[in-house]
Each structure stands twice: as C-alpha cells, then as structure tokens.
Amino acid sequence: DADVTQTPRNRITKTGKRIMLECSQTKGHDRMYWYRQDPGLGLRLIYYSFDVKDINKGEISDGYSVSRQAQAKFSLSLESAIPNQTALYFCATSDPGTEITDTQYFGPGTRLTVL
Amino acid sequence: AQSVTQLGSHVSVSEGALVLLRCNYSSSVPPYLFWYVQYPNQGLQLLLKYTSAATLVKGINGFEAEFKKSETSFHLTKPSAHMSDAAEYFCAVSGYNNNDMRFGAGTRLTVKP
C-alpha cells in the first residue's frame, strides 16, 4: 500500500465550485505539504504544516486554504475554483528525524481541471 | 530567497551514453540541494541530496551529483543511460528548515534505443 495517498486522482469541475483535495499518510510524519505543478514551472509550494497546530502559507497560497485534521491528514480546498487553478497537485510528507534536512515523500498527485 | 535554474527543458541521449542534467542554484545561505525524478503519472521520488557532508553525492539508480560552490552548480550525471531512466528530473533547493523548498522547471530526459 502507498505511504502517501491522494483523493481524488482526477477531478473536473466548473468555475466557482468549491473543491477539496485530500491527502493521507501512513508514514507517521509530522510535516505535510501541498504543491502544484504546472508545465514549465516545476512545483510551487502552496501551504505546509509542521504539526497539527501549525499551518503556514507557501509561495502561492492565494485562492487556497488548508486543514490539518490529524497528523495523518492534510486537506487542500479551493473555495471558488478558477480556470488558472487547473494543475497537478501533490501532497508530500517529511520527518526530520536525525537528518540535517528532511526528505520529502510525495503522493501520486491529483489532476484538477477547472472549466 | 533561494532558486534553481535547470538548463535545458529536454535532453535526449542514446542508451549507454552519458547523462548530464544541469542545475545552477542561487542561495544567500548554505544550500541543501536535491534531485528528484518523476516517472509518468507518478509523484516525485528522491534521487539524492546534498547536505554539506560531501561534495560528491551518490544516489539511487546509478546517479550522482557534484556540488560546486564556485560554480553554484549541482549537475546530475549517470555514466550509462538506460531506457528506464526516461523521466522528468527536478532540481530543488531549500534552507535549513525545509519550509521553503524551491524547484526548478524540470528537465525531461528521453533515452533512445
């Protein structure tokens, strides 16, 4: 079974609709992240959470919100979807442990299309 | 803020040839540097990372990268390409706390038989 799962894997929606993307992990990591991937732009950080009570904005948080329901769950919401939010969305987790900088483990992605 | 630039959005090599994917970074603090690989319809997978312990970093699948501070580079190499190496490769940089990881635009590697 995958350590980081994302649901749905694909979603088509219309402009103005509210959308929630969900991420679950079984790795026991405290840190979770949401990224979006656009062709030619790589991945950009939307939000990150270093524990259940810690939520921080990333590089491109406008138009998005998140909820950390538990250590294992981190949801991304688009309150009113717009076409330029069409992208591939990735969830990631990490745990610094004893490393200087922690490795991020990525889910399989959610492809979102906003018409 | 940190950033990385990947030179070449597409690289094509023949099977058995040297793979060289270029990455240059910009950082005001000692950087931590990463190479990730993305196979079709999958998430990103860590190939290797530099955390200042050694300038030559060996990763999975025969890949390695060398940190060169004087050139602000962290190029990824593999001596002999395999068909299974065809994928998109991302270079990334972060500071100490991993809360501001910046990715490059990616380089798509094609391996010809």
Side-chain angles (χ1 to χ4, degrees), chain B residues 21-88:
Chain B
L21 304 182
R22 299 176 188 274
C23 173
N24 288 90
Y25 71 90
S26 172
S27 178
S28 58
V29 298
Y32 299 110
L33 294 157
F34 306 78
W35 275 101
Y36 281 88
V37 60
Q38 184 180 29
Y39 298 104
N41 300 314
Q42 294 186 27
L44 278 70
Q45 177 183 357
L46 182 71
L47 275 177
L48 50 81
K49 65 179 179 182
Y50 166 76
T51 59
S52 76
T55 57
L56 182 63
V57 183
K58 294 187 182 299
I60 62 171
N61 302 337
F63 284 94
E64 63 181 35
E66 186 172 8
F67 173 73
K68 292 187 176 180
K69 185 177 179 180
S70 61
E71 299 177 8
T72 61
S73 69
F74 190 58
H75 301 332
L76 182 71
T77 60
K78 182 174 180 177
S80 177
H82 191 274
M83 297 297 290
S84 61
D85 294 328
E88 188 151 23

Short mmCIF file of all heavy atoms in Angstrom, two decimals, chain B residues 21-88:
data_model
loop_
_atom_site.label_atom_id
_atom_site.label_comp_id
_atom_site.label_asym_id
_atom_site.label_seq_id
_atom_site.Cartn_x
_atom_site.Cartn_y
_atom_site.Cartn_z
N LEU B 21 22.51 16.29 -16.60
CA LEU B 21 21.41 17.24 -16.43
C LEU B 21 21.93 18.37 -15.54
O LEU B 21 22.44 18.13 -14.46
CB LEU B 21 20.21 16.56 -15.78
CG LEU B 21 19.68 15.32 -16.49
CD1 LEU B 21 18.45 14.78 -15.77
CD2 LEU B 21 19.37 15.58 -17.94
N ARG B 22 21.74 19.60 -16.02
CA ARG B 22 22.39 20.74 -15.38
C ARG B 22 21.45 21.49 -14.44
O ARG B 22 20.27 21.69 -14.75
CB ARG B 22 22.92 21.70 -16.45
CG ARG B 22 23.95 21.08 -17.36
CD ARG B 22 24.37 22.06 -18.46
NE ARG B 22 25.23 21.43 -19.45
CZ ARG B 22 26.54 21.33 -19.34
NH1 ARG B 22 27.15 21.82 -18.27
NH2 ARG B 22 27.24 20.74 -20.29
N CYS B 23 22.03 21.90 -13.32
CA CYS B 23 21.28 22.68 -12.32
C CYS B 23 22.20 23.70 -11.71
O CYS B 23 23.28 23.36 -11.22
CB CYS B 23 20.72 21.76 -11.24
SG CYS B 23 19.93 22.61 -9.85
N ASN B 24 21.80 24.96 -11.72
CA ASN B 24 22.51 26.02 -11.02
C ASN B 24 21.59 26.60 -9.95
O ASN B 24 20.39 26.74 -10.17
CB ASN B 24 22.96 27.10 -12.00
CG ASN B 24 24.10 26.63 -12.86
OD1 ASN B 24 23.89 26.06 -13.93
ND2 ASN B 24 25.31 26.85 -12.39
N TYR B 25 22.17 26.95 -8.84
CA TYR B 25 21.35 27.44 -7.73
C TYR B 25 21.75 28.85 -7.34
O TYR B 25 22.85 29.31 -7.65
CB TYR B 25 21.48 26.51 -6.52
CG TYR B 25 22.82 26.58 -5.84
CD1 TYR B 25 23.07 27.49 -4.82
CD2 TYR B 25 23.87 25.76 -6.25
CE1 TYR B 25 24.32 27.57 -4.22
CE2 TYR B 25 25.11 25.84 -5.67
CZ TYR B 25 25.34 26.74 -4.66
OH TYR B 25 26.57 26.83 -4.08
N SER B 26 20.83 29.49 -6.63
CA SER B 26 21.10 30.79 -6.03
C SER B 26 20.59 30.72 -4.60
O SER B 26 19.43 30.35 -4.37
CB SER B 26 20.38 31.90 -6.81
OG SER B 26 20.47 33.12 -6.14
N SER B 27 21.47 31.06 -3.66
CA SER B 27 21.06 30.97 -2.27
C SER B 27 21.92 31.91 -1.43
O SER B 27 23.13 31.97 -1.61
CB SER B 27 21.19 29.55 -1.75
OG SER B 27 20.84 29.47 -0.38
N SER B 28 21.29 32.61 -0.50
CA SER B 28 22.02 33.52 0.38
C SER B 28 22.52 32.80 1.63
O SER B 28 23.27 33.38 2.41
CB SER B 28 21.12 34.69 0.79
OG SER B 28 19.96 34.20 1.42
N VAL B 29 22.12 31.57 1.80
CA VAL B 29 22.57 30.77 2.94
C VAL B 29 23.10 29.46 2.39
O VAL B 29 22.82 29.12 1.23
CB VAL B 29 21.43 30.50 3.94
CG1 VAL B 29 20.92 31.81 4.53
CG2 VAL B 29 20.29 29.74 3.26
N PRO B 30 23.88 28.73 3.19
CA PRO B 30 24.34 27.42 2.68
C PRO B 30 23.16 26.59 2.25
O PRO B 30 22.23 26.36 3.02
CB PRO B 30 25.06 26.83 3.90
CG PRO B 30 25.52 28.01 4.66
CD PRO B 30 24.47 29.06 4.48
N PRO B 31 23.20 26.14 1.01
CA PRO B 31 22.01 25.46 0.48
C PRO B 31 22.00 23.97 0.77
O PRO B 31 23.04 23.35 0.95
CB PRO B 31 22.14 25.71 -1.02
CG PRO B 31 23.63 25.66 -1.24
CD PRO B 31 24.23 26.29 0.00
N TYR B 32 20.81 23.43 0.81
CA TYR B 32 20.62 21.99 0.72
C TYR B 32 20.00 21.74 -0.66
O TYR B 32 19.04 22.39 -1.04
CB TYR B 32 19.73 21.48 1.84
CG TYR B 32 20.31 21.75 3.19
CD1 TYR B 32 19.75 22.70 4.03
CD2 TYR B 32 21.46 21.09 3.62
CE1 TYR B 32 20.30 22.97 5.28
CE2 TYR B 32 22.02 21.35 4.86
CZ TYR B 32 21.45 22.30 5.67
OH TYR B 32 22.01 22.58 6.89
N LEU B 33 20.58 20.81 -1.40
CA LEU B 33 20.19 20.62 -2.79
C LEU B 33 19.71 19.20 -3.02
O LEU B 33 20.23 18.26 -2.42
CB LEU B 33 21.38 20.92 -3.71
CG LEU B 33 21.81 22.39 -3.70
CD1 LEU B 33 23.24 22.53 -4.15
CD2 LEU B 33 20.88 23.23 -4.57
N PHE B 34 18.73 19.07 -3.89
CA PHE B 34 18.08 17.80 -4.13
C PHE B 34 17.90 17.57 -5.63
O PHE B 34 17.74 18.52 -6.39
CB PHE B 34 16.67 17.78 -3.50
CG PHE B 34 16.63 18.13 -2.04
CD1 PHE B 34 16.74 19.46 -1.63
CD2 PHE B 34 16.46 17.15 -1.09
CE1 PHE B 34 16.69 19.78 -0.27
CE2 PHE B 34 16.40 17.46 0.27
CZ PHE B 34 16.52 18.78 0.67
N TRP B 35 17.89 16.31 -6.00
CA TRP B 35 17.41 15.89 -7.30
C TRP B 35 16.29 14.88 -7.09
O TRP B 35 16.45 13.90 -6.36
CB TRP B 35 18.50 15.25 -8.15
CG TRP B 35 19.34 16.23 -8.91
CD1 TRP B 35 20.59 16.68 -8.59
CD2 TRP B 35 19.01 16.86 -10.14
NE1 TRP B 35 21.05 17.57 -9.53
CE2 TRP B 35 20.09 17.69 -10.51
CE3 TRP B 35 17.90 16.81 -11.00
CZ2 TRP B 35 20.11 18.46 -11.69
CZ3 TRP B 35 17.90 17.56 -12.16
CH2 TRP B 35 19.00 18.38 -12.49
N TYR B 36 15.15 15.17 -7.75
CA TYR B 36 14.01 14.27 -7.73
C TYR B 36 13.73 13.79 -9.15
O TYR B 36 13.98 14.50 -10.12
CB TYR B 36 12.75 14.99 -7.21
CG TYR B 36 12.67 15.16 -5.72
CD1 TYR B 36 13.24 16.26 -5.09
CD2 TYR B 36 12.00 14.23 -4.94
CE1 TYR B 36 13.15 16.42 -3.71
CE2 TYR B 36 11.90 14.38 -3.55
CZ TYR B 36 12.48 15.47 -2.96
OH TYR B 36 12.37 15.63 -1.59
N VAL B 37 13.14 12.60 -9.25
CA VAL B 37 12.72 12.07 -10.54
C VAL B 37 11.22 11.82 -10.51
O VAL B 37 10.66 11.43 -9.47
CB VAL B 37 13.48 10.76 -10.89
CG1 VAL B 37 13.23 9.67 -9.85
CG2 VAL B 37 13.12 10.26 -12.27
N GLN B 38 10.58 12.10 -11.64
CA GLN B 38 9.14 11.87 -11.75
C GLN B 38 8.88 11.00 -12.98
O GLN B 38 9.11 11.44 -14.11
CB GLN B 38 8.39 13.19 -11.87
CG GLN B 38 6.88 13.02 -11.91
CD GLN B 38 6.15 14.35 -12.04
OE1 GLN B 38 6.67 15.31 -12.61
NE2 GLN B 38 4.96 14.43 -11.49
N TYR B 39 8.42 9.79 -12.75
CA TYR B 39 8.02 8.92 -13.85
C TYR B 39 6.58 9.24 -14.23
O TYR B 39 5.83 9.80 -13.42
CB TYR B 39 8.17 7.46 -13.44
CG TYR B 39 9.60 7.08 -13.13
CD1 TYR B 39 10.03 6.92 -11.81
CD2 TYR B 39 10.53 6.92 -14.14
CE1 TYR B 39 11.34 6.60 -11.51
CE2 TYR B 39 11.85 6.61 -13.85
CZ TYR B 39 12.24 6.46 -12.54
OH TYR B 39 13.54 6.14 -12.26
N PRO B 40 6.18 8.93 -15.44
CA PRO B 40 4.83 9.27 -15.90
C PRO B 40 3.74 8.83 -14.92
O PRO B 40 3.75 7.70 -14.43
CB PRO B 40 4.72 8.54 -17.23
CG PRO B 40 6.14 8.46 -17.72
CD PRO B 40 6.97 8.26 -16.48
N ASN B 41 2.84 9.76 -14.64
CA ASN B 41 1.68 9.51 -13.78
C ASN B 41 2.05 9.10 -12.36
O ASN B 41 1.28 8.41 -11.68
CB ASN B 41 0.78 8.44 -14.39
CG ASN B 41 0.26 8.85 -15.76
OD1 ASN B 41 -0.19 9.97 -15.94
ND2 ASN B 41 0.37 7.96 -16.73
N GLN B 42 3.21 9.55 -11.91
CA GLN B 42 3.62 9.25 -10.55
C GLN B 42 4.06 10.53 -9.84
O GLN B 42 4.28 11.57 -10.47
CB GLN B 42 4.76 8.24 -10.53
CG GLN B 42 4.38 6.87 -11.06
CD GLN B 42 5.51 5.87 -10.88
OE1 GLN B 42 6.34 5.98 -10.00
NE2 GLN B 42 5.51 4.86 -11.75
N GLY B 43 4.20 10.44 -8.53
CA GLY B 43 4.75 11.55 -7.76
C GLY B 43 6.26 11.59 -7.89
O GLY B 43 6.87 10.80 -8.60
N LEU B 44 6.87 12.53 -7.19
CA LEU B 44 8.32 12.69 -7.25
C LEU B 44 8.98 11.73 -6.28
O LEU B 44 8.48 11.47 -5.19
CB LEU B 44 8.71 14.13 -6.90
CG LEU B 44 8.60 15.15 -8.02
CD1 LEU B 44 7.16 15.42 -8.38
CD2 LEU B 44 9.30 16.44 -7.63
N GLN B 45 10.16 11.28 -6.69
CA GLN B 45 10.94 10.34 -5.88
C GLN B 45 12.35 10.91 -5.72
O GLN B 45 12.95 11.34 -6.70
CB GLN B 45 10.98 8.98 -6.57
CG GLN B 45 11.82 7.93 -5.88
CD GLN B 45 11.87 6.64 -6.66
OE1 GLN B 45 11.22 6.50 -7.70
NE2 GLN B 45 12.63 5.67 -6.17
N LEU B 46 12.87 10.91 -4.51
CA LEU B 46 14.20 11.45 -4.27
C LEU B 46 15.27 10.58 -4.90
O LEU B 46 15.32 9.37 -4.68
CB LEU B 46 14.46 11.58 -2.78
CG LEU B 46 15.80 12.18 -2.40
CD1 LEU B 46 15.83 13.67 -2.73
CD2 LEU B 46 16.09 11.97 -0.91
N LEU B 47 16.13 11.22 -5.69
CA LEU B 47 17.31 10.53 -6.24
C LEU B 47 18.50 10.67 -5.31
O LEU B 47 19.21 9.71 -5.04
CB LEU B 47 17.69 11.14 -7.59
CG LEU B 47 16.99 10.65 -8.84
CD1 LEU B 47 17.49 11.47 -10.03
CD2 LEU B 47 17.20 9.18 -9.07
N LEU B 48 18.74 11.90 -4.86
CA LEU B 48 19.87 12.17 -3.99
C LEU B 48 19.73 13.57 -3.40
O LEU B 48 18.92 14.37 -3.90
CB LEU B 48 21.20 12.05 -4.75
CG LEU B 48 21.34 12.79 -6.07
CD1 LEU B 48 21.68 14.25 -5.87
CD2 LEU B 48 22.40 12.14 -6.94
N LYS B 49 20.52 13.83 -2.34
CA LYS B 49 20.50 15.17 -1.76
C LYS B 49 21.88 15.52 -1.21
O LYS B 49 22.64 14.65 -0.79
CB LYS B 49 19.45 15.27 -0.66
CG LYS B 49 19.68 14.41 0.56
CD LYS B 49 18.56 14.63 1.58
CE LYS B 49 18.74 13.76 2.81
NZ LYS B 49 17.61 13.94 3.77
N TYR B 50 22.16 16.80 -1.24
CA TYR B 50 23.41 17.35 -0.73
C TYR B 50 23.10 18.11 0.56
O TYR B 50 22.27 19.01 0.57
CB TYR B 50 24.05 18.29 -1.75
CG TYR B 50 25.15 19.14 -1.16
CD1 TYR B 50 26.40 18.60 -0.90
CD2 TYR B 50 24.91 20.47 -0.83
CE1 TYR B 50 27.40 19.37 -0.33
CE2 TYR B 50 25.91 21.25 -0.27
CZ TYR B 50 27.15 20.70 -0.02
OH TYR B 50 28.13 21.46 0.54
N THR B 51 23.83 17.72 1.63
CA THR B 51 23.63 18.39 2.91
C THR B 51 24.94 18.85 3.51
O THR B 51 25.07 18.97 4.72
CB THR B 51 22.91 17.45 3.90
OG1 THR B 51 23.72 16.27 4.07
CG2 THR B 51 21.55 17.07 3.40
N SER B 52 25.93 19.08 2.68
CA SER B 52 27.26 19.61 3.03
C SER B 52 28.20 18.57 3.60
O SER B 52 29.32 18.89 3.95
CB SER B 52 27.15 20.80 4.01
OG SER B 52 26.87 20.35 5.32
N ALA B 53 27.80 17.33 3.68
CA ALA B 53 28.69 16.30 4.22
C ALA B 53 29.79 15.95 3.21
O ALA B 53 30.94 15.76 3.60
CB ALA B 53 27.90 15.05 4.59
N ALA B 54 29.45 15.88 1.94
CA ALA B 54 30.42 15.54 0.90
C ALA B 54 29.97 16.19 -0.38
O ALA B 54 28.78 16.25 -0.67
CB ALA B 54 30.52 14.03 0.72
N THR B 55 30.92 16.67 -1.17
CA THR B 55 30.54 17.40 -2.38
C THR B 55 30.07 16.48 -3.49
O THR B 55 29.29 16.89 -4.34
CB THR B 55 31.70 18.26 -2.89
OG1 THR B 55 32.83 17.41 -3.11
CG2 THR B 55 32.05 19.34 -1.88
N LEU B 56 30.53 15.24 -3.50
CA LEU B 56 30.06 14.27 -4.48
C LEU B 56 29.04 13.37 -3.80
O LEU B 56 29.35 12.68 -2.84
CB LEU B 56 31.22 13.45 -5.03
CG LEU B 56 30.85 12.43 -6.12
CD1 LEU B 56 30.30 13.15 -7.35
CD2 LEU B 56 32.07 11.59 -6.49
N VAL B 57 27.83 13.42 -4.32
CA VAL B 57 26.73 12.70 -3.69
C VAL B 57 26.27 11.57 -4.62
O VAL B 57 26.01 11.81 -5.80
CB VAL B 57 25.54 13.64 -3.42
CG1 VAL B 57 24.43 12.89 -2.70
CG2 VAL B 57 25.99 14.84 -2.60
N LYS B 58 26.21 10.40 -4.09
CA LYS B 58 25.73 9.25 -4.87
C LYS B 58 24.28 8.96 -4.50
O LYS B 58 23.90 9.00 -3.32
CB LYS B 58 26.60 8.03 -4.61
CG LYS B 58 28.02 8.21 -5.10
CD LYS B 58 28.83 6.95 -5.00
CE LYS B 58 30.27 7.16 -5.45
NZ LYS B 58 30.34 7.58 -6.87
N GLY B 59 23.48 8.69 -5.53
CA GLY B 59 22.08 8.43 -5.30
C GLY B 59 21.66 7.05 -5.79
O GLY B 59 22.49 6.18 -6.01
N ILE B 60 20.37 6.92 -5.97
CA ILE B 60 19.85 5.64 -6.43
C ILE B 60 19.97 5.51 -7.94
O ILE B 60 20.18 6.51 -8.64
CB ILE B 60 18.37 5.46 -6.01
CG1 ILE B 60 17.49 6.55 -6.64
CG2 ILE B 60 18.25 5.49 -4.49
CD1 ILE B 60 16.01 6.31 -6.44
N ASN B 61 19.85 4.29 -8.43
CA ASN B 61 19.84 4.01 -9.87
C ASN B 61 21.11 4.47 -10.59
O ASN B 61 21.07 4.71 -11.80
CB ASN B 61 18.61 4.65 -10.54
CG ASN B 61 17.31 4.16 -9.93
OD1 ASN B 61 17.26 3.09 -9.33
ND2 ASN B 61 16.27 4.94 -10.08
N GLY B 62 22.22 4.55 -9.89
CA GLY B 62 23.49 4.89 -10.53
C GLY B 62 23.73 6.36 -10.78
O GLY B 62 24.72 6.74 -11.41
N PHE B 63 22.86 7.21 -10.30
CA PHE B 63 23.03 8.65 -10.47
C PHE B 63 23.94 9.24 -9.38
O PHE B 63 23.99 8.73 -8.27
CB PHE B 63 21.67 9.37 -10.41
CG PHE B 63 20.87 9.21 -11.66
CD1 PHE B 63 19.92 8.20 -11.77
CD2 PHE B 63 21.04 10.09 -12.73
CE1 PHE B 63 19.18 8.05 -12.92
CE2 PHE B 63 20.29 9.95 -13.88
CZ PHE B 63 19.35 8.92 -13.99
N GLU B 64 24.62 10.30 -9.74
CA GLU B 64 25.39 11.06 -8.77
C GLU B 64 25.39 12.53 -9.16
O GLU B 64 25.07 12.87 -10.30
CB GLU B 64 26.82 10.54 -8.64
CG GLU B 64 27.67 10.64 -9.87
CD GLU B 64 29.06 10.06 -9.62
OE1 GLU B 64 29.19 9.07 -8.87
OE2 GLU B 64 30.01 10.61 -10.20
N ALA B 65 25.71 13.38 -8.20
CA ALA B 65 25.75 14.81 -8.45
C ALA B 65 26.90 15.40 -7.64
O ALA B 65 27.22 14.93 -6.55
CB ALA B 65 24.44 15.48 -8.07
N GLU B 66 27.51 16.44 -8.20
CA GLU B 66 28.63 17.09 -7.53
C GLU B 66 28.28 18.53 -7.22
O GLU B 66 27.88 19.29 -8.10
CB GLU B 66 29.89 17.04 -8.40
CG GLU B 66 31.12 17.58 -7.66
CD GLU B 66 32.40 17.36 -8.43
OE1 GLU B 66 32.34 16.93 -9.59
OE2 GLU B 66 33.47 17.61 -7.84
N PHE B 67 28.43 18.90 -5.96
CA PHE B 67 28.21 20.27 -5.52
C PHE B 67 29.49 21.07 -5.78
O PHE B 67 30.56 20.72 -5.28
CB PHE B 67 27.87 20.30 -4.03
CG PHE B 67 27.79 21.67 -3.44
CD1 PHE B 67 26.71 22.49 -3.74
CD2 PHE B 67 28.77 22.15 -2.60
CE1 PHE B 67 26.61 23.76 -3.19
CE2 PHE B 67 28.69 23.43 -2.05
CZ PHE B 67 27.60 24.24 -2.35
N LYS B 68 29.35 22.14 -6.57
CA LYS B 68 30.48 23.02 -6.84
C LYS B 68 30.09 24.43 -6.44
O LYS B 68 29.38 25.13 -7.18
CB LYS B 68 30.86 22.96 -8.32
CG LYS B 68 31.45 21.63 -8.75
CD LYS B 68 31.96 21.68 -10.19
CE LYS B 68 32.63 20.38 -10.58
NZ LYS B 68 33.14 20.42 -11.97
N LYS B 69 30.60 24.84 -5.29
CA LYS B 69 30.24 26.15 -4.76
C LYS B 69 30.71 27.27 -5.68
O LYS B 69 30.01 28.26 -5.89
CB LYS B 69 30.83 26.32 -3.36
CG LYS B 69 30.42 27.60 -2.67
CD LYS B 69 30.98 27.66 -1.26
CE LYS B 69 30.58 28.96 -0.57
NZ LYS B 69 31.13 29.02 0.82
N SER B 70 31.92 27.13 -6.22
CA SER B 70 32.49 28.19 -7.06
C SER B 70 31.66 28.41 -8.32
O SER B 70 31.64 29.50 -8.88
CB SER B 70 33.92 27.85 -7.44
OG SER B 70 33.96 26.64 -8.18
N GLU B 71 30.99 27.38 -8.77
CA GLU B 71 30.16 27.47 -9.98
C GLU B 71 28.68 27.53 -9.64
O GLU B 71 27.85 27.59 -10.56
CB GLU B 71 30.44 26.27 -10.88
CG GLU B 71 31.88 26.18 -11.36
CD GLU B 71 32.15 24.95 -12.20
OE1 GLU B 71 31.19 24.22 -12.55
OE2 GLU B 71 33.33 24.71 -12.50
N THR B 72 28.33 27.49 -8.38
CA THR B 72 26.93 27.41 -7.90
C THR B 72 26.15 26.38 -8.70
O THR B 72 25.04 26.63 -9.19
CB THR B 72 26.21 28.79 -7.93
OG1 THR B 72 26.17 29.28 -9.28
CG2 THR B 72 26.92 29.79 -7.03
N SER B 73 26.75 25.21 -8.83
CA SER B 73 26.13 24.17 -9.64
C SER B 73 25.95 22.88 -8.87
O SER B 73 26.64 22.62 -7.88
CB SER B 73 26.95 23.91 -10.90
OG SER B 73 28.18 23.28 -10.57
N PHE B 74 25.02 22.09 -9.34
CA PHE B 74 24.74 20.77 -8.75
C PHE B 74 24.22 19.88 -9.88
O PHE B 74 23.07 19.48 -9.90
CB PHE B 74 23.73 20.91 -7.62
CG PHE B 74 23.55 19.66 -6.77
CD1 PHE B 74 24.62 19.08 -6.11
CD2 PHE B 74 22.29 19.08 -6.61
CE1 PHE B 74 24.46 17.95 -5.33
CE2 PHE B 74 22.11 17.95 -5.83
CZ PHE B 74 23.20 17.39 -5.18
N HIS B 75 25.08 19.58 -10.81
CA HIS B 75 24.68 18.83 -12.01
C HIS B 75 24.54 17.34 -11.70
O HIS B 75 25.33 16.77 -10.93
CB HIS B 75 25.71 19.01 -13.12
CG HIS B 75 25.91 20.43 -13.54
ND1 HIS B 75 24.93 21.38 -13.45
CD2 HIS B 75 27.00 21.06 -14.06
CE1 HIS B 75 25.39 22.54 -13.88
NE2 HIS B 75 26.64 22.38 -14.26
N LEU B 76 23.58 16.73 -12.35
CA LEU B 76 23.29 15.30 -12.16
C LEU B 76 23.89 14.50 -13.31
O LEU B 76 23.73 14.89 -14.48
CB LEU B 76 21.77 15.08 -12.12
CG LEU B 76 21.27 13.66 -11.89
CD1 LEU B 76 21.54 13.23 -10.45
CD2 LEU B 76 19.78 13.57 -12.21
N THR B 77 24.57 13.40 -12.99
CA THR B 77 25.17 12.59 -14.03
C THR B 77 24.91 11.11 -13.80
O THR B 77 24.66 10.67 -12.68
CB THR B 77 26.69 12.81 -14.12
OG1 THR B 77 27.28 12.45 -12.85
CG2 THR B 77 27.04 14.24 -14.44
N LYS B 78 25.00 10.38 -14.91
CA LYS B 78 24.96 8.92 -14.87
C LYS B 78 25.82 8.45 -16.03
O LYS B 78 25.63 8.91 -17.15
CB LYS B 78 23.54 8.39 -14.99
CG LYS B 78 23.46 6.87 -14.91
CD LYS B 78 22.03 6.37 -14.88
CE LYS B 78 22.00 4.84 -14.80
NZ LYS B 78 20.61 4.30 -14.69
N PRO B 79 26.76 7.56 -15.78
CA PRO B 79 27.71 7.19 -16.84
C PRO B 79 27.06 6.54 -18.06
O PRO B 79 27.50 6.76 -19.19
CB PRO B 79 28.66 6.20 -16.14
CG PRO B 79 28.49 6.47 -14.69
CD PRO B 79 27.09 6.92 -14.50
N SER B 80 26.02 5.75 -17.84
CA SER B 80 25.45 4.99 -18.94
C SER B 80 23.92 4.97 -18.82
O SER B 80 23.37 4.38 -17.88
CB SER B 80 26.00 3.56 -18.91
OG SER B 80 25.41 2.77 -19.92
N ALA B 81 23.27 5.62 -19.76
CA ALA B 81 21.80 5.73 -19.70
C ALA B 81 21.14 4.40 -20.01
O ALA B 81 21.58 3.64 -20.87
CB ALA B 81 21.33 6.79 -20.68
N HIS B 82 20.02 4.20 -19.32
CA HIS B 82 19.19 3.03 -19.56
C HIS B 82 17.81 3.50 -19.97
O HIS B 82 17.38 4.59 -19.58
CB HIS B 82 19.12 2.20 -18.26
CG HIS B 82 18.52 0.85 -18.44
ND1 HIS B 82 17.17 0.61 -18.40
CD2 HIS B 82 19.10 -0.35 -18.70
CE1 HIS B 82 16.93 -0.66 -18.60
NE2 HIS B 82 18.08 -1.26 -18.79
N MET B 83 17.13 2.68 -20.73
CA MET B 83 15.79 3.07 -21.19
C MET B 83 14.88 3.45 -20.02
O MET B 83 14.06 4.35 -20.13
CB MET B 83 15.15 1.94 -21.98
CG MET B 83 15.89 1.57 -23.26
SD MET B 83 15.90 2.93 -24.45
CE MET B 83 14.18 2.96 -24.92
N SER B 84 15.06 2.78 -18.90
CA SER B 84 14.20 3.04 -17.73
C SER B 84 14.49 4.39 -17.06
O SER B 84 13.76 4.79 -16.15
CB SER B 84 14.37 1.92 -16.70
OG SER B 84 15.71 1.88 -16.26
N ASP B 85 15.54 5.08 -17.52
CA ASP B 85 15.85 6.41 -16.95
C ASP B 85 14.98 7.50 -17.56
O ASP B 85 15.02 8.65 -17.09
CB ASP B 85 17.32 6.75 -17.18
CG ASP B 85 18.25 5.84 -16.40
OD1 ASP B 85 17.88 5.40 -15.30
OD2 ASP B 85 19.35 5.56 -16.93
N ALA B 86 14.26 7.20 -18.59
CA ALA B 86 13.39 8.20 -19.23
C ALA B 86 12.35 8.68 -18.23
O ALA B 86 11.54 7.89 -17.72
CB ALA B 86 12.71 7.60 -20.45
N ALA B 87 12.37 9.97 -17.96
CA ALA B 87 11.51 10.56 -16.92
C ALA B 87 11.76 12.05 -16.91
O ALA B 87 12.54 12.58 -17.69
CB ALA B 87 11.83 9.96 -15.56
N GLU B 88 11.08 12.73 -15.99
CA GLU B 88 11.36 14.15 -15.78
C GLU B 88 12.14 14.29 -14.48
O GLU B 88 11.82 13.64 -13.47
CB GLU B 88 10.08 14.98 -15.73
CG GLU B 88 10.34 16.47 -15.71
CD GLU B 88 9.22 17.28 -16.34
OE1 GLU B 88 8.09 16.78 -16.41
OE2 GLU B 88 9.50 18.43 -16.77
#
